[in-house]
Amino acid sequence: MEFMDYLSVFFRWLHIAAGVIWIGHLYFFNFVNAPFTTVMDPETKKKVVPELMPRALYWFRWGAAYTWVTGVLLLMLVYYHGGLMFEEGKGWTPGAIIMLVVTFGGFALYDILAKSTLAKDMKVFAAIGFLLIAAVMYLMIDFGGYSYRAYNIHIGAMLGTIMAANVWMRIWPAQKKIIAAVKEGSAPEQALVASAGMRSKHNTFLSVPLFWTMITMHTTVPGANSPLYLLAVVILGWLAVQLVYGKAARIKGF
């Protein structure tokens, strides 16, 4: 068991380090780079974008990959092997397995919704996302029998999986085409720019409740086992991100 404890510490270390690289670049793209690109003329973009973006996107996408991989390894070690998944007397029922599939397969539904007309209105899309998070959390508790720690971290795993899939399957492929177009001096396809920007923005909003799921097991607050904490964090976190976007748009260079 002592070896497993050391292994857990090692994976947590890697998980956090990779997460800092990933989310740090995510916030750079959304709060710094996006407003900056609006003031660049075409010639400046032609010089800056092909040099800056491949470097930044390298750390961005591999930070996402290592964060996701080490997160899954921690789930296996701490929850599936460590016995923290279920409330007392409960175990791997069909419901628990189905909710595990939802955890790692939730991107499929998200992707369909993100490609639909519903995604054009951010408020409507956020409301749908909130209701889906609440529904999944309820099912993890009632249908899957997950413990407080388990359903929190698996909601986080679901959000993290959506974010990582966005990076590798939607943002990076679009950015490669955008960078190539800018380098050639032509205007990138606007649908690609809009899609990559939207997915990156979604990831920024999802990152805040994700952080909560990572830290909540290490805190002690009144009514600590209440699922209302996570739902409140989703709302407050998304409002905070919206405020930061507003602030980022107002910051100017010298």
Side-chain angles (χ1 to χ4, degrees):
M1 189 63 185
E2 186 174 315
F3 172 74
M4 292 298 183
D5 292 336
Y6 284 122
L7 200 58
S8 174
V9 171
F10 179 67
F11 284 147
R12 286 178 195 276
W13 184 27
L14 292 180
H15 186 61
I16 292 170
V20 169
I21 293 172
W22 176 19
I23 304 302
H25 280 83
L26 175 67
Y27 291 170
F28 165 76
F29 288 136
N30 283 269
F31 302 140
V32 179
N33 188 67
F36 171 62
T37 55
T38 62
V39 302
M40 285 195 293
D41 58 66
E43 281 303 310
T44 304
K45 285 184 180 180
K46 190 175 179 180
K47 294 177 181 178
V48 173
V49 170
E51 290 295 328
L52 172 65
M53 294 303 287
R55 289 179 169 88
L57 286 165
Y58 174 88
W59 296 107
F60 176 63
R61 68 181 186 275
W62 285 109
Y66 281 106
T67 303
W68 188 85
V69 169
T70 52
V72 172
L73 289 172
L74 280 169
L75 282 176
M76 292 178 177
L77 190 65
V78 177
Y79 288 87
Y80 312 151
H81 179 268
L84 298 179
M85 272 296 293
F86 303 107
E87 297 293 351
E88 188 174 350
K90 297 184 178 181
W92 286 107
T93 63
I97 295 171
I98 289 171
M99 295 318 297
L100 198 62
V101 172
V102 170
T103 298
F104 294 106
F107 175 77
L109 176 58
Y110 159 81
D111 196 48
I112 292 170
L113 293 173
K115 291 177 179 177
S116 72
T117 56
L118 294 171
K120 293 181 178 180
D121 189 322
M122 195 66 178
K123 291 181 180 178
V124 171
F125 196 70
I128 293 170
F130 176 80
L131 292 175
L132 287 173
I133 290 172
V136 170
M137 182 180 66
Y138 171 79
L139 289 171
M140 283 181 175
I141 298 169
D142 192 66
F143 184 51
Y146 288 13
S147 67
Y148 172 79
R149 290 182 63 174
Y151 76 71
N152 267 280
I153 204 63
H154 280 79
I155 290 290
M158 181 179 70
L159 301 182
T161 299
I162 290 171
M163 292 168 63
N166 261 342
V167 170
W168 279 93
M169 298 173 64
R170 300 293 177 258
I171 297 172
W172 172 233
Q175 284 292 349
K176 284 193 290 186
K177 295 178 181 178
I178 293 168
I179 294 166
V182 172
K183 187 175 181 179
E184 294 169 0
S186 59
E189 187 180 336
Q190 285 306 303
L192 280 176
V193 175
S195 176
M198 180 188 71
R199 299 296 181 123
S200 185
K201 193 168 188 177
H202 289 173
N203 276 11
T204 303
F205 278 95
L206 293 179
S207 69
V208 179
L210 171 60
F211 290 151
W212 170 264
T213 66
M214 293 172 68
I215 69 168
T216 184
M217 68 189 72
H218 303 293
T219 61
T220 302
V221 290
N225 292 340
S226 173
L228 296 178
Y229 281 118
L230 179 55
L231 297 180
V233 164
V234 172
I235 295 173
L236 293 175
W238 288 355
L239 289 173
V241 171
Q242 190 62 38
L243 290 174
V244 175
Y245 269 112
K247 178 65 175 178
R250 296 192 299 270
I251 296 175
K252 306 296 181 183
F254 291 112

